[in-house]
Structures are given as structure tokens and as C-alpha cells.
Amino acid sequence: MVEITIRKRPQTEAVITQRKFFKKTARGKVVKVLRERYLRDDVACGIEGCRECSTEISRLLPLSGSLEHDLFPNGHYILPDTNVFLAQMDLIESSLFNPPMILLQTVLEEVRHRSLPLYNRLKALTKSEDKQIWVFYNEYRSETAIVREENETPNDRNDRGIRTAAAWYNTHISLTHTPVRGQKQMPHPTVVLITEDAANRQKAEKSGIVSVSVRRYVETMKDANVLLDLLSAEGSHNIEPTKAAAGRQALYPDYLPTPTLIAGVKAGELHQGHFNPNQYNYLEGSVPVPAFDKPILLVGRENMNRAVQGDIVVIEVFPEKDWKAPADEVVDQEAMQKNDDAEDSGEEGDENDEEVFSKESRVLSGSSNQKPPSERQPTGRIVGIIKRNWRAYVCHIDSTSLTSTLTTSLSTQTVFATPVSRLLPRIRLRTRQAPTLLNQKILVTIDRWDSTSRYPEGHFVRALGQVESKEAEQESLLLEFEVPYRPFGKAILDCLPPEGEQWVVPPKGEFDLQNIWRDRDDLRDVIVCSIDPPGCQDIDDALHAKLLPNGNIEAGVHIADVSHFVLPDNPMDSEAAARGTTVYLVDNRIDMLPSLLGTNLCSLRPFVERLAFSSIWELTADAEIVSVRFTKSVIKSKAAFTYEEAQIRKDDPNLHDELTNSIRLLNSLAIKLKAKRMAAGALNLASPEVKIHLDSAESSDPIDVEQKELRETNSLVEEFMLLANISVARKIEESFPQTAVLRRHLPPPKTNFEKLQDILRKTKGFSLDVSSSGALAASLDECVDAREPAFNTLVRIMATRCMLSAEYFSSGSVAKDTFGHYGLASEIYTHFTSPIRRYADVLVHRQLSAAIGSTPLHATLHSKSHVERVLDVVNRRHRMAQMAGRASVEFYVGLALKARGEQARARGEPDVREDAYVIRTFRNGVGVFVSKLGIEGLVTFKRETQFDAENYTITVPGAKEEVKISVFDKVVVRIEVEKDKNTQRGKVKMTLVEPVDSSAF
């Protein structure tokens, strides 16, 4: 019998083993929390061959440490403190930075507390095969565990814990490197504390611990010239500041303290929201807040106070007499600041600086106060930042900011990095690689923005490749919109079926060892087909319809049963939740799930048995729902059609087979379902969609662009997907009223439509009724110009932009009267039909499965707070995926236009010319929409024009007489793709050809 020894801990140890702290609950009650920790003396040090520690883990730190650093010829390990990871993560992640590293539990927990995104990056590094990192649980080793002393701050306690662990490691290593009898004792490696805190370094050195700053450590590394560029400016306080930031008066007001901001927002004296810069005028921005119908307008650099797109800011609103209207002038940041010097910009007495300020002052004192009071909106200034949205930005080096372009030069230069997004300010950075980075796309991170500096300061992260190379352009697009595109790791791939591509639905009966057929309907003999865009590989949905003996119709939507393969809370599920959605680019697809599932085992391919989740209705001939049932099923699709193929089959009078009749039945029901939706007030909105024709799958070169053609079969699929989503939404909300995953589209504020209403009334004489979605739908139908068929589509596109974005939410988080979907005129809605490419649909599948009693609901989906957190990520990923898709189309449209222009010039023909419609007028230009290409452009005028803001017209000089141009006018534009000579960034340039040639002015 095994002998069991019970050891009673002495009372004196309680001071070390117990952690006591006070916590405030959500209701404001203060409670004492007492946590017990069990100290051990067998927590391994992680060093290979250590005689004192035993561990079965294979990935250990080398016995001699790293011998490649000049400062530590006898070998060393580094032990960074928390601030190193918070400020220098780009350095730590670099493949050139790979010394053996000891990561303390104290540091890991503090990073998690300070920044969850950085914590996730750090956790990923600990699992990376390319890094030598050992996580040491110092809080649980008896020799390194400490307790907070009286009057000691948490930060000082953590610093002391880090020093204690570093000292223990050095002692421990000396004990495990005892000499062998008869051999000379060799020096043992040193544990080096890396910290930016000078006081912490001094205390460490007094205790005999070797300690250096990050910069000092990197300066003597082999690849110092590259690695020094990765250092964050935030962590480089010992560098001499640039002239632009040193000894200068403040350009921006200081932020209010955080407690003051929070108290002001709670009291309603200040307002909080996300900062949105104006895409046409870099001197204006806005912040939507709940207290006002219109966004708060910010005018001028000082009032925008160093905010960057997406920052959560706090606003002080000015008295109503000081409210303004947005300016009517296009103000281009690059044109205004093209002569700025990266090193000297902002110096007192600098002539260019004074010239820029003078220009900006003229713009700001322009016409905004001459507008009618109805156009004015709340105006204010930023007094603080709650949360920065700083991240890595895709940029180009501005060649005019270099002091030396010699590629052999290794001197540090201060240069401007111009972001690809025109909504961002230029970033000042120091680099030794500036000459070699010209004509490349690079990644730059903002580190700080001092009140004395006109520009934020940042650091170089890495080069992405040559400008205009498809690889660099595609990667930069993914990075710009924060699309996770790393390959799926081993832990994720291990969650896939071990049979791989050989996996099949097992036969019924004794061979069904996993009980896959349990509670599943056998629908393999049902005439099911899928209808998708050409080339679709991830087939989410299939449909069927058949006549019933009672004269009614059975219709079914069958969705891939992804939740059978993606189980809750495993690595694949966590990765899918983090990605949120599949991202579709013109020539690439970034999958949410591994391709084995997305394009094979879950894809409802024809003639293959597949697991499905089916919604089956009994409907009358008038499309009235008699009943609906939901069931897990096994289907065997009889065909996979494109929209065009299904349309041709439906329209062929010679075909009367079961499959064709099924499509015709579905189509007849879809027409009636759509009519019912429209009668209920659903909106028929529009968005510019184009199709890019590629040369071949291998080259991905665009050869032409055309508008997508929508057929009856597009509407057929859409109507049944909507019906399934609405039916499922009702079921899961009924079963799980607190945590059902739903999707809503809130009614837009009526103020969003004011400008469009005014434009339509003054230019075309139409009235736009926005009192309800039905009224809006009816008035949009009446906006028809017999002379211009495209006018109605253009109005619908502009109306779509006045809408709010749809969003996922948890049913218990909002009032039930806000569940509705405004655009669809539905009281409740969700997403069920695309689980291969949307994570929200996976969650809905799990809830529906539990609602019908097929599987129990995982505990996480009973937690309202958990569902809210997941959906916050999914909403953000969904928005970014949409923007990435649009940006990809714009890039390929640009390539196609460039190729078309070159071909035209080679044939001696004029440049590319297209019909366009004016959608906005400015004091110095017009915004146009080219419907054929689905792109917008800006035509600017340098000569004086007559601008009538009230009637949305601009009068420009013509060849014989002045020409008046109004919103909705049809014009012809010349389209070119030109490269900025400084940044090498390609951009589409448009000039008017008709009714007047604007190239002359």
C-alpha cells in the first residue's frame, strides 16, 4: 500500500502563501478576496542539463546560454521586465532577435493585465519553434515567491519580484555548474536583466545583478543596424530628441487626467466616442456620440489634438453659438505639407512651418460660418484619449525627407513615412535603412505623439516588398485591415478528422461507431442542389422543393453542419473565433477554417454524402408558412449550379425533370416571399459591385472590369437564405432568451438623410420620406429619371451610405424592441446559412442544435458576457473583411485601368474615358462615381470657381462660356493611374472631359 504523508503548513508561512486584496463588484460593493498559493521547490529552471531540476519538457534553454553577444562572452540568458514586452514587442518578435529568454510568471501576468493583444502575441511566441523562451513560474517557487510589503506599490512589488528571480537564477546556475574534479572551473553563463527603468537597473546592480537597457543590449548584437530600427520611440528616452521635439513650445493642449475624463463623461459634461477623420479634409474630423443626433465636428489640428483614426476620445462641446458646419473645400494633407522637413519641421521661426500654419488658418477661416444654421452641427475639441488605436501601419518612405540616398550610408536619418491610408498623419521615424527602403512598402508602428510635435513618432517594423508587386500589395492590404492570415498551426490542424480527405459519412447501423446518424434525418434521396457564384469551393448551402399530396409545397434549406467538426473551446474553435470570418479578395481567400473542412468535408459538393443542418418548411402556393422544422441530416446534392446555369435551366422550356421543376418551384416561392418583404417595408438598396476578369488563375493579371449581372436565381437563393435566418432566429431566441446570437440593423437617425433629401429636392424635385423603412422604400421607387436609367441606382447607393451598419448582438444585452432589422423589415434576424465562412453562424448552429435537443449547449453559450465578448470581435472582423474586400477590388481596378491605358496609348488612342455621375460638389472640385467600375474619384480644380453650397452646384470656366455642374449630373472623366514621385504610391487620378475639359485648369 502506498504510504501517504500529510504535512501541515506552519502558520508563519501564511504571509507568503496567501494573497489578499480588495475588489469592487459591479454594484459598487467592496469585498475582500483571499487566494491561497502553494509554494514548491521543484519548479524547473528550464536550463538543459540542470542537475537540480528535473523536467520532461524537450524544449529547454541551452546549457551555456548564448555565446554570440560581445558583452557576455561566457554566455548569457536574458530576463526582460514587463515594460520591455509592452514597448518593444516588434523587436522581441523579430527572427533576428533570438537570445535564450527567461519569461517570468510575474511579467506574463502584468502584460496580460496591461494589454491583452500584446499578451496574446507573447503567448504565441512562447509556443513558436523559432524562439528560445522558458516560462518560469516564479510566484510558485519557494525561493522566488515574494509578498507585497507595507506601502509598496504593485509596480515596485513586481520589480522586486523580477530582481529576486534574476538573483536566484544566477545563484542556481552557479550551483549547477560546479567543476568536475581534476578539471579547471569554466565561467558560467549570466542571467541579464533587461529593463528600461534606470532606477530598477541601479537596484539590480547594487544586488550584484547584471542589468542593461534594451538599446545597450541591441547595439552590440550582430544585426544591430536592422534591430535598432525596431526599437520603439516610447522606450528610447535616452536618445537625443529630434530638433522638432526638443525645447519647443506646445502645439497641442495637454490631455486631462483619466479620472477627470471618466467623471466628466459620467456627469454628461464630456462625451466619449470614436474619432473619424474627414477623408476630404485632413483639418476636420468628427466623433459620433449618443447625446447628439449629428456627430460632433472637430475643426483644426489643435481641436483634433493628436487623435488618430479609431481612437476612443473624450470631447468637450463648445457653446451652441460656436458651432460650425463642415467645410466645402478639399484640403489634401500631402499637398499642404509637401515641403516639411522631418528633422526641422516645427522649429520656431521656420519659414515653411509658418507658411503651412498660414495656409491652414486661411482654410479654417473659410466659408463654414457662411452656411445656414440648419447645416451647423455640434462642435468641440478633444480633451483626452481613453484608448489609442495605434497599430502597425503600411507606409512608404517619402524620398524628399531623406538627407542621404546613398545605399552604403549607415547613419541614422529622421524621415517621414506616409501611410497608405489617407486618413492617417505622416509618421516621423529614425532609421539606418532609409535609402534601401525607398520604393518599398514597409510596416511602421506609432509609439508616441508629443504635444510639441506636429507629427507622431514611430519605428520601422519590417519591409513588405517592392511597391506594386502583387505579393507586397496583398500582404499590405491584409495588414492594413488587420486580417489574420498566418497558416493554421499544428494544434489547430490536430483538431481535424484523422482520416483527412478520406473521411466519409459512415453507413447507418453497426459501423457508425461515432453515432453520427443519431438524431439525423436521411435526406440522401431528396433532390437537392446548390446555386453559387462561379468557382465557389466552400459551398455552404443547398436547396430543394417538391409538391406535397395536399397541394402545398415542401421547401428545404440545407446548411453545412460545421459544428459537427468544430467543437467548442478547442484550438480550432478559438482560431475561428479570432478570425471571425473568411476574407474574400479578388485573387485570394483567407479562410476562417482549414481548407480540409471549408472546401472539402463541410462543402456540400455534388454526388457526395455530407452532414447538414436542415430547415424544412411546408408552404402554401402563396408562400404562407404552414410549419417549419429543424433537423440534423445527411444529404447528397444532385448538382452544383452557378447562378447563370440555374437561370438557363429554369428558363429552358424543354426541361421538365425533377431538378428543374424544383428550381422553378423555389423561384415561384421566392418571388412571392420577396413581394411580402417589400410590402412589409423592406428596402431594395444598392451597392456598387464589379467583376474583375483575370488573365489566368496563375498570373492573376486583371484584363477587364465589368458590373456584376444579377439574375432571378440570385434573388431565389437570397430569399430562402433570409427565410432560414429569420426562422432560426425565432427558434433560438425562444429557447435562449438571454444569449441567443442575433443580428440587428438599427433605424438610421433621420438627420443622416437631411443632406440627401435636400439635394434631391433642389436638383431633381424629389421628396425622400424617411419616417419608416416602408416610406423610404416607396419614395426610393419614385426617384426615377426617364432620361437616365442609372439615376435610381445611384440614389439607392447614396441612401445606403446614410444607413447604420448591421451588427451581431446577444439577445439578453439589449431591449427586445431594438432586435429588428431595418433594411429587411424583420422583427428578428440572425445568420445561420454560412458557417464555413462566418463564426457567428457556428454559434447559431450550436444554439439551434441545443434548442431541438440534438446536443447540449456548451457552457460558454450560457454566459451573456462571453457571447458579448466573442461578438465584439466578430463584428470588428466582419467590418474589416468588408473593407479589405473593397480595397482588393479597388487595387485590381487600378491595375486593369493602368493596363487599359497603356494599351490605348500603344494604339495611339485616347486615355481611358468613362461615364460618371457627380455625387458631391466642393469649393475646389467635384466627387464623381464611375458606375461601370464601381469606384469613386475626386476631380479638383486649381483655378477660381463659383461655388453655390446651398444649391450644390459649381460653375467652372468653359471654352466659350461658363459651365454649371450639379450633383447627379452625368459627366465624362479621363481616368489615369499615376505614381506619386515621392512615395511611389499609385493612385487613380480623374479629370473632367465633358461638359468641360478640366485639365486646362
Side-chain angles (χ1 to χ4, degrees), residues 691-992:
K691 181 179 179 182
I692 312 289
H693 292 282
L694 300 177
D695 191 10
S696 68
E698 290 75 27
S699 72
S700 299
D701 290 326
I703 55 175
D704 202 4
V705 183
E706 68 174 7
Q707 283 184 297
K708 281 187 180 179
E709 183 182 351
L710 295 180
R711 298 177 171 83
E712 225 178 1
T713 46
N714 290 80
S715 180
L716 181 161
V717 174
E718 180 186 9
E719 289 306 319
F720 276 97
M721 296 306 110
L722 293 175
L723 182 63
N725 289 335
I726 292 169
S727 299
V728 170
R730 291 195 176 109
K731 180 67 175 177
I732 62 173
E733 196 274 330
E734 176 188 302
S735 301
F736 306 106
Q738 289 300 304
T739 58
V741 174
L742 302 176
R743 187 167 176 81
R744 66 176 180 173
H745 182 207
L746 291 172
K750 292 182 174 53
T751 53
N752 285 21
F753 289 95
E754 284 178 356
K755 192 155 194 173
L756 179 57
Q757 287 173 305
D758 196 43
I759 293 171
L760 281 169
R761 185 171 60 253
K762 289 177 177 175
T763 60
K764 295 289 187 178
F766 290 122
S767 173
L768 202 61
D769 185 351
V770 297
S771 58
S772 67
S773 61
L776 176 59
S779 52
L780 284 173
D781 289 340
E782 293 172 6
C783 292
V784 176
D785 186 339
R787 296 166 300 173
E788 195 50 67
F791 170 70
N792 184 261
T793 303
L794 183 62
V795 173
R796 291 181 189 275
I797 290 171
M798 294 174 74
T800 303
R801 295 177 183 181
C802 300
M803 301 286 178
L804 300 176
S805 297
E807 62 179 3
Y808 298 106
F809 69 100
S810 173
S811 56
S813 304
V814 302
K816 194 162 185 175
D817 59 0
T818 65
F819 281 15
H821 196 294
Y822 179 80
L824 298 174
S826 176
E827 294 177 356
I828 194 167
Y829 191 67
T830 191
H831 272 164
F832 161 76
T833 53
S834 297
I836 293 176
R837 60 185 178 90
R838 291 189 305 232
Y839 186 70
D841 301 51
V842 177
L843 298 180
V844 170
H845 275 232
R846 289 174 185 161
Q847 291 183 333
L848 183 61
S849 181
I852 64 173
S854 180
T855 54
L857 188 64
H858 192 264
T860 54
L861 286 177
H862 282 297
S863 167
K864 188 166 69 173
S865 60
H866 174 83
V867 174
E868 286 172 353
R869 283 196 302 272
V870 171
L871 294 183
D872 281 344
V873 174
V874 172
N875 278 323
R876 187 167 183 278
R877 293 294 188 202
H878 188 74
R879 286 192 299 271
M880 299 306 263
Q882 287 180 318
M883 289 190 280
R886 285 195 287 265
S888 176
V889 169
E890 287 175 12
F891 172 66
Y892 273 88
V893 167
L895 288 182
L897 288 172
K898 183 179 179 183
R900 199 192 288 180
E902 289 170 352
Q903 292 166 6
R905 284 191 290 275
R907 295 192 299 266
E909 297 173 358
D911 288 329
V912 178
R913 299 182 180 192
E914 295 288 354
D915 290 341
Y917 296 89
V918 176
I919 57 173
R920 188 165 180 181
T921 53
F922 298 96
R923 190 169 298 280
N924 57 339
V926 292
V928 297
F929 174 68
V930 183
S931 57
K932 183 179 178 182
L933 304 176
I935 60 171
E936 286 182 37
L938 194 60
V939 178
T940 54
F941 310 132
K942 293 180 180 176
R943 280 173 54 181
E944 195 69 29
T945 60
Q946 297 175 36
F947 177 62
D948 184 350
E950 196 167 334
N951 292 302
Y952 308 100
T953 64
I954 183 170
T955 304
V956 295
K960 296 180 180 178
E961 59 182 1
E962 292 182 333
V963 177
K964 183 183 286 187
I965 300 172
S966 175
V967 173
F968 294 126
D969 280 0
K970 186 176 180 180
V971 297
V972 178
V973 293
R974 181 186 299 112
I975 307 175
E976 306 166 86
V977 179
E978 64 176 16
K979 190 184 289 185
D980 187 290
K981 63 179 182 298
N982 294 330
T983 65
Q984 298 301 302
R985 180 172 62 184
K987 60 180 180 180
V988 174
K989 179 185 176 184
M990 295 189 188
T991 50
L992 279 183

Side-chain angles (χ1 to χ4, degrees), residues 469-478 585 587-588 892:
S469 70
K470 284 204 185 67
E471 296 75 16
E473 293 291 347
Q474 188 173 91
E475 186 177 11
S476 69
L477 187 150
L478 296 173
L585 308 179
D587 67 338
N588 194 14
Y892 273 88

